[in-house]
Amino acid sequence: MADIATLQATARDLRARIIENSSKTGTPHLGSCLSCVDILTVLYFAVLRIDPTKPRDATRDRFILSKGHGAPALFQVLAKRGFYPESMLDTYGQDGGVFAEHPPTPDHLAGIEAATGSLGHGLPLGLGMALAGRIQQLTCNVYAVLSDGECNEGSVWEAAMLAAAQRAANLCIIIDFNKWQATGRSREVMALDPLADKWRAFGWNAIEVDGHDMTALLNALQQHPARDGRPTAIIAHTVKGKGVSFMEDDNNWHYRIPTADEVARAKQELGVST
Amino acid sequence: MRNAFADEMTKLAQQNNRVVLLSGDIGNKLFDKFKAVDERRFYNCGVAEANMMGVAAGMALSGLRPVVYTITPFTTTRCFEQIRVDVCYHKAPVVIVGTGSGLSYAELGPTHHSLEDIAILRTLPGMRVMAPCDTAELRLALRAAVAEDGPVYIRIGKKGEPAIHAQAPDLKIGTAIVVRQGIDVALLSAGTIMPEVLKAADLLQGQGISAEVVSFHTIKPLDVDYLAAASKRVKLVATVEEHGLIGGLGSAVAEWRAAANAATPLICFGTPDEFMHEVGGQEYARAKYGLTPGNIATRILAALSKA
């Protein structure tokens, strides 16, 4: 059992690094990154069966950040997990580098399973990987984090239906349900509610949790794979900009870049000194 | 052609356990033999082509060799972004097969015509674009495509297309096949229009013109070696395809010709900038757009008389 306090400390540190990097490199989508940090932390430090020294091992679990604009969070997580040195992140945003606003392909950065950025692609890709694992008789699981806004995309629901029809039990998605999309409340833009019921109606094992409660996340992830063959959808209720009081649930931080003063205040709130 | 496709897929599945077939809810019973080889490697992905393409890319990234099959507009224009991002950006070895290409399904109306597929897929980095002329070329194209390390698009016809090759030719991706040698003009054909092109060559022969007939089964990468050599030998080059004049084989050859400063005149036969709203079968549609032996021969003779 992973140590919850350690996971929480890891997430605090990651938040500080993500905020610093946003300020330093002018990278947006800070609110979207902060809402999924706890999910990524639990996955990468307590759930995924991966070996950073063997990023292409056939038996590994797969993770796809389908909400590709959360890449600044994923890049920090992969470095911390040991896929590449943290010093590599010093090249963030530099011309000719690999760290930008969205994940590159696996050919360009170790630890990445799929390039995303256009929404609605990660779940079909993940379903393909899950079915491939079954064809190849591997026991690997495939995980994907989607955003609530991403569920606007029809391809998400196409994949949802095929995954249920194929009883792709080794597929698990976590929806970072932070209640916002780029320009408005996600339940108002596209009538998203009731989100968990939608997934249940599509034949998935839907579990609702507090997406910032490490213990709850871990419990939900440990219920996967479902014994009845259904794929798993964890609806993680999150807060956009989570962890910094003046960013929480304020959609301006979808695009805003923090000032040096705001970075200092954020780190103070997070209790991260370096 | 689709029966040959199903048959060759079955053989490939027997020989290569990485081969997977994904179908967009078409080909009822067509793939029964494939399923008999290994049911776990056949997926009816339903009427959801965007997802189907993403699933195929995910499989390819996991080491499999997926072949995606449905009616051409739905496996190309419908899911173009998935082809671009999931397949091509990842250099995923997905084989995309469009059936009923060009005007094969003329009577079904413009929703089922595909006169833009070569044009749009040709723009994608790393994508190879193929249009075999008969079942022999199709079988070889499929085999070559599955052996490739990157994406390949193959546009095929429907059923009952005549055989062009008496025996299996030597087919390599990107190398055109000379079907009939000639001296005066080179007729470059892409896809199932080939029988009409051969008849055009017969008509020209009757007028004392020796026409070389070439199967450009690969539009990308274009066989520039053939083009460079032929343009030095012949008085005129013509391209023929069941595809729009914008972006197809004709455009590809014109792009080469401009870049290479080739002086040999070029005539392109294809469909104009319009949707065919009238009712009609493939023969009607070909005639409407001048894709007939008579029209091809007449225009070539007129061009030669001016050359």
Side-chain angles (χ1 to χ4, degrees):
Chain A
M1 186 71 181
D3 177 358
I4 296 298
T6 306
L7 291 175
Q8 287 167 339
T10 300
R12 274 197 301 276
D13 186 55
L14 285 165
R15 281 193 164 86
R17 288 164 191 263
I18 293 162
I19 292 164
E20 273 182 334
N21 183 69
S22 172
S23 179
K24 182 182 145 200
T25 64
T27 307
H29 300 129
L30 195 44
S32 313
C33 288
L34 295 178
S35 68
C36 68
V37 168
D38 297 313
I39 298 165
L40 296 181
T41 301
V42 171
L43 281 167
Y44 272 90
F45 294 91
V47 174
L48 292 175
R49 293 167 298 179
I50 47 172
D51 180 350
T53 65
K54 296 183 210 157
R56 297 285 180 108
D57 187 283
T59 63
R60 72 191 186 278
D61 284 343
R62 268 74 166 177
F63 173 79
I64 297 171
L65 185 66
S66 193
K67 48 170 282 185
H69 54 289
L74 181 62
F75 292 150
Q76 297 291 343
V77 169
L78 291 175
K80 207 172 186 55
R81 189 67 176 78
F83 281 93
Y84 41 83
E86 294 188 53
S87 60
M88 243 178 91
L89 290 163
D90 293 342
T91 65
Y92 206 111
Q94 286 179 9
D95 290 349
V98 290
F99 300 107
E101 289 188 26
H102 298 107
T105 77
D107 290 338
H108 300 105
L109 188 65
I112 300 285
E113 297 289 355
T116 49
S118 176
L119 298 172
H121 288 250
L123 182 51
L125 282 163
L127 175 56
M129 292 176 188
L131 295 174
R134 197 162 73 185
I135 292 168
Q136 294 161 326
Q137 297 178 306
L138 301 170
T139 54
C140 60
N141 288 319
V142 180
Y143 300 86
V145 166
L146 281 67
S147 70
D148 47 353
E150 180 172 11
C151 293
N152 292 182
E153 293 282 5
S155 54
V156 168
W157 302 100
E158 291 183 4
M161 286 188 279
L162 186 66
Q166 292 292 340
R167 304 186 72 71
N170 56 342
L171 179 63
C172 176
I173 65 166
I174 302 97
I175 298 179
D176 176 10
F177 192 7
N178 65 26
K179 320 297 185 293
W180 286 105
Q181 52 194 85
T183 63
R185 284 285 181 197
S186 51
R187 60 165 52 95
E188 292 168 4
V189 176
M190 287 290 266
L192 203 60
D193 286 333
L195 189 55
D197 286 347
K198 279 191 173 69
W199 286 93
R200 281 185 197 111
F202 274 69
W204 287 55
N205 179 34
I207 305 167
E208 287 192 84
V209 296
D210 175 345
H212 302 300
D213 180 336
M214 300 283 193
T215 308
L217 279 168
L218 203 50
N219 285 340
L221 286 161
Q222 282 166 348
Q223 289 175 49
H224 174 261
R227 287 191 191 141
D228 61 6
R230 283 181 299 166
T232 301
I234 298 173
I235 315 299
H237 291 279
T238 56
V239 175
K240 202 159 178 174
K242 175 72 178 180
V244 179
S245 62
F246 56 91
M247 294 181 184
E248 287 191 357
D249 205 37
D250 177 357
N251 209 32
N252 284 315
W253 291 97
H254 193 77
Y255 294 121
R256 249 200 80 178
I257 307 298
T259 63
D261 177 56
E262 285 166 336
V263 172
R265 282 164 56 205
K267 285 173 76 174
Q268 193 174 19
E269 283 192 22
L270 289 164
V272 176
S273 53
T274 53
Chain B
M1 255 180 160
R2 62 192 179 211
N3 291 332
F5 169 76
D7 184 57
E8 200 63 23
M9 280 304 302
T10 304
K11 288 180 183 158
L12 279 164
Q14 285 165 336
Q15 293 156 9
N16 184 344
N17 63 10
R18 295 197 297 163
V19 170
V20 182
L21 177 58
L22 295 86
S23 157
D25 204 33
I26 64 162
N28 187 28
K29 295 197 183 300
L30 185 62
F31 301 120
D32 282 356
K33 285 180 183 164
F34 182 101
K35 289 183 226 173
V37 174
D38 186 352
E39 204 164 16
R40 293 171 315 143
R41 287 191 278 143
F42 175 82
Y43 291 87
N44 181 352
C45 293
V47 195
E49 296 82 4
N51 175 59
M52 175 162 65
M53 200 60 71
V55 167
M59 288 177 168
L61 290 173
S62 296
L64 298 176
R65 284 289 187 272
V67 178
V68 179
Y69 174 83
T70 190
I71 299 170
T72 304
F74 315 137
T75 196
T76 55
T77 46
R78 175 80 187 197
C79 50
F80 182 67
E81 202 202 46
Q82 278 72 20
I83 300 175
R84 175 175 176 267
V85 176
D86 303 347
V87 177
C88 289
Y89 182 26
H90 290 90
K91 297 181 184 159
V94 175
V95 180
I96 300 166
V97 178
T99 189
S101 301
L103 297 163
S104 298
Y105 289 155
E107 64 279 359
L108 299 186
T111 55
H112 285 58
H113 301 166
S114 61
L115 303 168
E116 318 84 8
D117 53 311
I118 295 174
I120 64 164
L121 292 190
R122 204 159 71 78
T123 62
L124 294 175
M127 177 64 87
R128 297 143 179 95
V129 177
M130 304 187 76
C133 75
D134 70 354
T135 57
E137 282 193 6
L138 162 62
R139 288 174 187 269
L140 294 165
L142 197 55
R143 269 177 193 277
V146 167
E148 282 285 300
D149 264 338
V152 181
Y153 167 58
I154 306 175
R155 65 160 8 213
I156 70 175
K158 44 183 180 181
K159 61 178 180 180
E161 288 89 354
I164 302 299
H165 299 284
Q167 52 199 24
D170 180 18
L171 184 143
K172 289 190 191 74
I173 293 177
T175 304
I177 296 173
V178 176
V179 174
R180 184 187 295 180
Q181 292 191 321
I183 296 164
D184 302 315
V185 300
L187 306 182
L188 317 183
S189 175
T192 56
I193 195 74
M194 177 61 92
E196 308 309 302
V197 179
L198 283 165
K199 285 180 211 157
D202 291 341
L203 293 175
L204 289 167
Q205 193 71 48
Q207 300 293 317
I209 304 297
S210 165
E212 182 150 291
V213 179
V214 187
S215 175
F216 262 67
H217 53 76
T218 308
I219 295 101
K220 184 189 173 189
L222 196 64
D223 188 345
V224 296
D225 292 341
Y226 174 83
L227 292 172
S231 65
K232 289 188 186 120
R233 282 195 284 112
V234 300
K235 301 185 194 81
L236 178 85
V237 173
T239 61
V240 190
E241 60 197 313
E242 265 188 21
H243 186 278
L245 286 166
I246 298 172
L249 173 65
S251 290
V253 173
E255 288 159 16
W256 168 82
R257 181 172 175 269
N261 271 321
T264 314
L266 171 67
I267 302 180
C268 299
F269 294 91
T271 62
D273 189 19
E274 67 178 45
F275 290 102
M276 191 187 92
H277 67 276
E278 300 142 61
V279 177
Q282 189 172 21
E283 292 312 307
Y284 172 85
R286 284 177 169 178
K288 176 180 166 67
Y289 292 128
L291 296 169
T292 57
N295 184 62
I296 293 167
T298 301
R299 278 188 60 193
I300 286 172
L301 285 169
L304 283 174
S305 69
K306 287 183 210 152

